[in-house]
Amino acid sequence: MELREYDLNMGPQHPSTHGVLRLKLAVDNEVVLGVEPVLGYLHRGMEKLWESLTFTQVVPLTDRLDYIASLSNNLGYCLAVEKLAGIEVPKRARYIRVVLAELQRLASHLAWVGFMANDIGAMSVLLYAFEAREHVLDIFEEYCGARLTVHGIRIGGAVRDLDAPLASRIRAVLEKIPERLEDVRALLDENRIWKERTVGVGRISAADAIDYGLTGPPLRASGVAWDMRKDLPYSSYDDFDFDVPLGANGDVYDRYLVRLEEICQSIRIVRQALEGLPEGDPRAKMPRVLKIAPGEVFHTIEAPKGVLGFTVRSNGSDKPERVKMKSPSFINLQALDHMCRGNLFSDVIGILGSLDIVLGEIDK
Amino acid sequence: MTPFVADVLIPVGKIVAVILYPMVMVVVMIWLERRVVALMQLRLGPNRVGFQGLAQPVADAVKLFFKEDIRQRRADKLLFNISPILVMASSLLAFCFLPLGEPVRIGAYTLTLWIAESPVGLLIVLGLSSISVFGVIFGGWAANSKYPLMGALRSVVQVLSYEIPLGLTVLTVAFLARSMDLVEIVRRQEASGVWYGFLMPVSFVVFWISAVAETNRAPFDLPEAESELVAGYHTEYSGMKFAYFYMAEYAHMVLVSSLVVNLFFGGWLAPFPSVKALDFLDVVPGFLWYLIKIMFFLYLYVWIRATFPRYRFDSLIRLVWKWLIPLALANVLVVILVRFLR
Amino acid sequence: MSRVLRLLRTVFLVDILSGLGVTLRLYFSRKVTVPYPEKVQAPAPRFRGLPRLFRDEAGEPLCIACKLCQKSCGTNCFDIEGRKAEGVRHMRPVKFDWTLERCSFCGFCVEVCPTSAIRFSPEFRLTGVRRDGLVFHLDEMYLTGDALQEHLCGGCRRAT
């Protein structure tokens, strides 16, 4: 009997592609032979736009890159500019940034687990995860007024101080989140259907993961212990005691476990940061107009989705000459073809979900 | 009771009732599903259209009624149009053989709460509900598009595979009751005092899993998975035709629940008939017990949907061929052995 | 022993039943839906709603037309012209055109304003049906509540 092969298009509009992503699939009955992502549907010309804005005006626009974890983008860009301009960030500001960034990591991973479970069919997990995420977003709203495009981290520090009432609210939220997480774990961790869909699916070896340039939870799930917070610490991360969860098999199930464990570790880091919040200013003294001497810097941070890098080149004026963003989702998406080959069509959704891509930062 | 009433009016009335009963249950189910799934997800669900959202199904029906009936240029017209009708008809026809309660005496006339009673009623019900497979194939093929075709193929394989454990477990019930007449099965459960669901729990569990798979419901709803194939074999349908598929699925669920109740949980019987202290339960008419039990299984359907992820297609098929069918066969053997040794 | 335990857990569907238990428990728990629009959750005090101009206690406008907001805005929302009248201490704006279309709610204008004339308000209902509802001239920059809704969408929606 002749085996047929035909092209399937998961168009830019699809309930499960986490944004406007087009996937061209070559499918043989049910088995996937190749995947080609087509990008650009959300391209907004960010990097070019930034060349006409001042360094500070770029910060709110970085929110719109990875819109699920906007504070991480703020942090990445601000750290790069501070490195370029030689701005010293006070210790209190660094701790506040850690609190914000880890809360954002928590929120991003919760959103991820919700979307992933919804794609696989467990609809209720989406709502439980988002209910937990609401508490974190309420903190952000109380801190600086916005829930999604937070713009809470500025060049030189954080937008305002983290006072005691807000710190106790954050501690209360950190109590509530593990309860909801337990519900999610009870529904998914040992569930035979979930394990059937995720164990052994989308496997990638450690060597291949490094070759493809994977970063973040997909890399750590393959067993490679690389986390920017530990290996190239920034913003006082080396003051905190936390573990980096590693997976063994590099499949979807390991990525799921790694991200859930990272949520627990983030809670741990936030508790330590709130405990040891030093005295000082929440933001360095910045000149009215920030002019940076010519130079170029590349700085990376561990965003929830992977390693986020910013290259900033200045030419002495108050506007950057070039800002280039290396987004983790863009690089991670490369490995989709490798991971999907030989798997079934329904697994493409699961594998794509496990990579945790967001089109805002892929297409910029 | 004139011959006209007995021979014409009452049968016509029963037919109307048999059409109305699943339709009313479908309307209730649409509301129930959305409300219960929402409440399990920490949200409220439809609660604005009418009291507590009870008019939501009406609003949905009106909306679907007014939608444009999109027809593809190269769709096979006959198959495209016939497929929703086939799916709906196969669900509704089987209701003729389902008994809803004890026969009621009105004067000299006994009103039976079923349209037809046949010595092979069980077989007929199973056979009629299988006709829906044709509707699915026609729908997937006639839409002339890749996604519905893939959904239809998967659905067909799924339904055909899960018919086998369904039949095998039903065999154990028929074996115990020594009859395939649904009324007789309920009477035998009354006589034996223990319902077959408690006598043969394995049969019940296998039957229930197969039934959920037969009706294409979560966690076996890959053919119509929203996030994967848009909507499977009924992607290309809109308006009233889509409403037919939608309603037929719920009607099929009600049918299967009725079967479970009749075969395994005593149909219209009150629970614990032998316990004297619970005799007051006899005040509740059989029909109401039947409804209560069906509602429990419909709730179970919705509860399962809200909880579990979806099985991937090959896992689904592996489950039935590697686990359910051998289990069902072993179950048949055990039941026969136990009976033989008695 | 753990192999036997795992086998028993698989056969008796323990994971399935515990999952069902979770949804059943949450079925009976308090729901988190807030019935909008009957009940509207007030946003946090620092919420970044629609930027509005404010007056001082005497009713005098606080804006002195220094155009710092215009300079700091990254998306060109402002078009301001000021004039200093005779005998008056400060400049006052004669033209203050602000468009909601371009605003990214970043807050630079609020942070940089020396008199706190422009501040965020708690207004978050910002939809309308006409494009010209998105442009605010000088007087319209003080509108809040029902009057703001009237401007945005011609009275098609109440503010409260």
Side-chain angles (χ1 to χ4, degrees):
Chain A
M1 191 177 90
E2 224 182 88
L3 292 171
R4 288 171 347 162
E5 173 191 323
Y6 61 103
D7 283 333
L8 218 56
N9 181 46
M10 277 177 69
Q13 286 169 320
H14 192 276
S16 305
T17 51
H18 300 269
V20 273
L21 172 68
R22 180 174 168 217
L23 289 177
K24 284 158 79 166
L25 302 161
V27 169
D28 170 20
N29 253 343
E30 276 266 336
V31 177
V32 173
L33 298 173
V35 178
E36 184 188 320
V38 177
L39 310 170
Y41 289 96
L42 193 52
H43 181 68
R44 294 158 289 180
M46 287 270 211
E47 292 178 350
K48 184 67 187 172
L49 177 63
W50 294 338
E51 291 173 17
S52 57
L53 298 171
T54 65
F55 286 100
T56 27
Q57 283 171 339
V58 171
V59 184
L61 293 187
T62 57
D63 276 336
R64 275 88 174 160
L65 291 166
D66 175 359
Y67 36 77
I68 312 265
S70 45
L71 282 169
S72 306
N73 307 357
N74 290 157
L75 184 59
Y77 173 73
C78 291
L79 284 171
V81 170
E82 285 152 13
K83 192 164 159 186
L84 188 60
I87 297 173
E88 173 80 33
V89 177
K91 194 141 194 239
R92 188 180 176 88
R94 276 183 265 147
Y95 273 54
I96 295 178
R97 280 176 163 184
V98 166
V99 168
L100 291 174
E102 290 307 309
L103 280 174
Q104 187 68 92
R105 186 183 312 269
L106 222 144
S108 171
H109 285 334
L110 281 171
W112 171 79
V113 79
F115 288 133
M116 174 88 184
N118 190 43
D119 288 343
I120 307 277
M123 326 180 279
S124 307
V125 173
L126 174 66
L127 283 130
Y128 302 156
F130 267 75
E131 199 263 327
R133 187 179 140 95
E134 277 301 298
H135 297 304
V136 177
L137 297 185
D138 283 342
I139 299 282
F140 290 151
E141 187 181 342
E142 206 178 301
Y143 177 67
C144 62
R147 291 150 52 90
L148 196 71
T149 51
V150 185
H151 191 212
I153 291 179
R154 308 293 178 92
I155 302 178
V159 66
R160 69 176 198 100
D161 197 16
L162 200 77
D163 48 13
L166 188 59
S168 56
R169 295 245 302 120
I170 295 179
R171 283 194 194 96
V173 163
L174 293 180
E175 299 296 320
K176 279 191 231 148
I177 291 190
E179 293 166 17
R180 203 48 87 216
L181 205 58
E182 279 311 308
D183 290 336
V184 169
R185 289 198 101 124
L187 277 175
L188 295 179
D189 255 15
E190 292 297 319
N191 189 296
R192 60 189 66 195
I193 308 175
W194 182 253
K195 286 177 108 159
E196 281 255 13
R197 292 294 302 257
T198 55
V199 173
V201 168
R203 203 173 276 223
I204 188 164
S205 65
D208 282 331
I210 297 176
D211 278 345
Y212 274 103
L214 278 188
T215 52
L219 180 68
R220 293 195 277 278
S222 295
V224 180
W226 182 262
D227 187 328
M228 280 301 179
R229 296 172 293 169
K230 286 271 193 204
D231 296 301
L232 290 173
Y234 51 94
S235 193
S236 298
Y237 266 106
D238 37 1
D239 288 353
F240 304 111
D241 176 36
F242 62 99
D243 300 318
V244 171
L246 289 179
N249 300 320
D251 54 15
V252 173
Y253 188 63
D254 279 353
R255 285 175 221 140
Y256 157 78
L257 288 176
V258 161
R259 284 196 181 95
L260 284 198
E261 187 56 37
E262 280 189 6
I263 295 181
C264 301
Q265 295 300 320
S266 290
I267 295 179
R268 208 171 140 192
I269 299 175
V270 176
R271 283 213 176 101
Q272 288 173 48
L274 287 177
E275 210 67 37
L277 203 60
E279 297 296 319
D281 291 319
R283 194 172 177 187
K285 267 267 164 247
M286 297 280 298
R288 212 161 222 235
V289 174
L290 180 62
K291 282 203 167 98
I292 304 184
E296 183 173 320
V297 82
F298 176 65
H299 187 79
T300 52
I301 65 158
E302 185 77 24
K305 311 229 159 23
V307 166
L308 174 64
F310 274 92
T311 308
V312 184
R313 193 194 314 153
S314 60
N315 56 9
S317 69
D318 60 346
K319 299 187 167 60
E321 177 164 324
R322 175 82 172 102
V323 181
K324 163 109 178 91
M325 179 200 155
K326 171 199 175 293
S327 59
S329 305
F330 184 74
I331 312 285
N332 289 355
L333 195 58
Q334 289 180 110
L336 185 65
D337 183 58
H338 177 98
M339 287 180 195
C340 284
R341 276 180 197 223
N343 283 303
L344 296 182
F345 172 64
S346 337
D347 289 331
V348 171
I349 314 274
I351 298 170
L352 185 65
S354 76
L355 282 177
D356 198 6
I357 58 164
V358 75
L359 265 298
E361 69 174 4
I362 292 180
D363 287 339
K364 308 190 236 316
Chain B
M1 189 105 355
T2 66
F4 177 72
V5 174
D7 294 336
V8 179
L9 219 55
I10 288 191
V12 168
K14 279 201 216 172
I15 291 173
V16 169
V18 142
I19 296 179
L20 275 184
Y21 159 61
M23 289 293 104
V24 166
M25 290 304 286
V26 159
V27 166
V28 167
M29 271 307 290
I30 295 176
W31 174 83
L32 193 80
E33 165 141 56
R34 289 173 67 172
R35 216 56 225 279
V36 171
V37 164
L39 289 171
M40 287 184 174
Q41 293 173 344
L42 302 173
R43 56 188 179 92
L44 289 177
N47 62 344
R48 290 189 182 267
V49 191
F51 176 69
Q52 291 294 321
L54 281 167
Q56 183 71 43
V58 175
D60 285 345
V62 169
K63 177 202 81 172
L64 284 170
F65 192 69
F66 280 109
K67 276 204 156 171
E68 181 190 349
D69 183 29
I70 301 174
R71 220 170 311 182
Q72 286 210 301
R73 218 181 304 134
R74 290 199 328 239
D76 187 325
K77 261 170 67 173
L78 176 66
L79 293 180
F80 193 78
N81 291 336
I82 238 188
S83 131
I85 301 176
L86 263 181
V87 174
M88 182 68 122
S90 79
S91 312
L92 289 184
L93 272 176
F95 275 96
C96 300
F97 292 92
L98 289 178
L100 300 179
E102 284 284 357
V104 173
R105 295 203 77 88
I106 311 176
Y109 182 78
T110 323
L111 176 68
T112 55
L113 291 183
W114 52 81
I115 291 189
E117 182 185 347
S118 153
V120 289
L122 189 53
L123 205 58
I124 297 181
V125 166
L126 287 179
L128 282 173
S129 72
S130 304
I131 294 181
S132 63
V133 172
F134 285 104
V136 169
I137 303 179
F138 293 163
W141 173 257
N144 198 31
S145 164
K146 266 180 230 167
Y147 283 128
L149 186 61
M150 284 177 76
L153 292 177
R154 287 167 163 182
S155 185
V156 164
V157 174
Q158 181 180 323
V159 168
L160 290 181
S161 308
Y162 278 90
E163 290 276 348
I164 302 175
L166 205 71
L168 286 172
T169 45
V170 149
L171 193 65
T172 60
V173 170
F175 186 73
L176 276 189
R178 302 224 183 95
S179 163
M180 286 210 268
D181 180 356
L182 283 165
V183 181
E184 189 57 36
I185 292 176
V186 177
R187 295 244 163 81
R188 296 290 295 197
Q189 288 183 71
E190 189 173 15
S192 80
V194 186
W195 295 341
Y196 293 151
F198 299 109
L199 217 50
M200 303 185 290
V202 176
S203 282
F204 163 60
V205 170
V206 173
F207 183 90
W208 179 250
I209 297 176
S210 311
V212 172
E214 279 288 302
T215 44
N216 276 336
R217 287 282 296 187
F220 303 101
D221 61 348
L222 196 61
E224 53 182 57
E226 286 155 1
S227 58
E228 307 200 21
L229 287 181
V230 187
Y233 58 88
H234 47 76
T235 309
E236 300 291 340
Y237 286 89
S238 62
M240 219 46 208
K241 296 205 181 74
F242 175 74
Y244 261 53
F245 275 115
Y246 196 49
M247 291 195 288
E249 177 177 322
Y250 285 121
H252 209 168
M253 274 167 66
V254 177
L255 174 68
V256 153
S257 304
S258 313
L259 261 186
V260 167
V261 165
N262 275 315
L263 294 177
F264 292 100
F265 287 97
W268 61 78
L269 303 170
F272 305 116
S274 49
V275 177
K276 281 292 168 191
L278 293 173
D279 261 351
F280 67 89
L281 290 172
D282 282 337
V283 163
V284 180
F287 177 59
L288 218 55
W289 276 120
Y290 181 79
L291 269 182
I292 292 173
K293 291 179 208 177
I294 292 193
M295 286 314 295
F296 171 72
F297 283 100
L298 293 173
Y299 254 101
L300 190 59
Y301 257 115
V302 176
W303 187 9
I304 292 178
R305 176 166 185 238
T307 312
F308 298 117
R310 222 170 275 126
Y311 263 109
R312 198 182 49 223
F313 190 60
D314 66 326
S315 316
L316 218 150
I317 301 299
R318 195 181 317 133
L319 179 72
V320 71
W321 287 98
K322 274 177 89 166
W323 298 105
L324 283 185
I325 292 182
L327 187 62
L329 282 171
N331 183 45
V332 169
L333 278 174
V334 164
V335 166
I336 294 180
L337 248 119
V338 168
R339 206 76 174 89
F340 184 67
L341 291 172
R342 220 28 116 68
Chain C
M1 203 57 213
S2 83
R3 280 186 83 181
V4 175
L5 203 65
R6 256 188 296 147
L7 182 68
L8 283 175
R9 287 167 86 100
T10 317
V11 165
F12 285 100
L13 306 176
V14 169
D15 50 306
I16 304 273
L17 293 171
S18 74
L20 285 173
V22 169
T23 32
L24 189 67
R25 173 171 47 90
L26 290 170
Y27 180 56
F28 290 111
S29 69
R30 206 174 52 90
K31 307 292 168 259
V32 299
T33 315
V34 172
Y36 181 91
E38 286 86 24
K39 185 165 179 294
V40 179
Q41 278 180 312
R46 227 169 250 99
F47 180 69
R48 307 212 289 251
L50 189 64
R52 302 277 81 197
L53 282 180
F54 285 85
R55 297 190 168 88
D56 63 13
E57 294 92 33
E60 286 298 310
L62 285 163
C63 175
I64 54 172
C66 63
K67 299 198 201 142
L68 275 173
C69 50
Q70 186 172 318
K71 259 180 278 210
S72 71
C73 179
T75 44
N76 288 329
C77 300
F78 294 91
D79 187 8
I80 304 172
E81 268 171 32
R83 189 178 60 91
K84 189 165 179 315
E86 285 296 324
V88 178
R89 194 160 164 219
H90 291 290
M91 284 223 309
R92 288 281 170 231
V94 288
K95 177 167 122 155
F96 196 112
D97 288 348
W98 182 84
T99 169
L100 176 55
E101 256 182 313
R102 302 231 185 111
C103 182
S104 64
F105 293 82
C106 62
F108 285 142
C109 56
V110 173
E111 285 172 24
V112 91
C113 180
T115 54
S116 289
I118 190 166
R119 277 174 255 162
F120 284 118
S121 64
E123 299 285 343
F124 59 89
R125 276 171 271 223
L126 303 175
T127 53
V129 292
R130 315 181 322 254
R131 264 255 155 85
D132 29 333
L134 299 174
V135 177
F136 292 83
H137 303 296
L138 179 56
D139 297 319
E140 292 155 353
M141 282 301 290
Y142 292 94
L143 294 175
T144 52
D146 279 324
L148 174 65
Q149 297 303 320
E150 178 69 42
H151 174 87
L152 278 172
C153 71
C156 60
R157 177 186 58 239
R158 321 184 307 278
T160 48

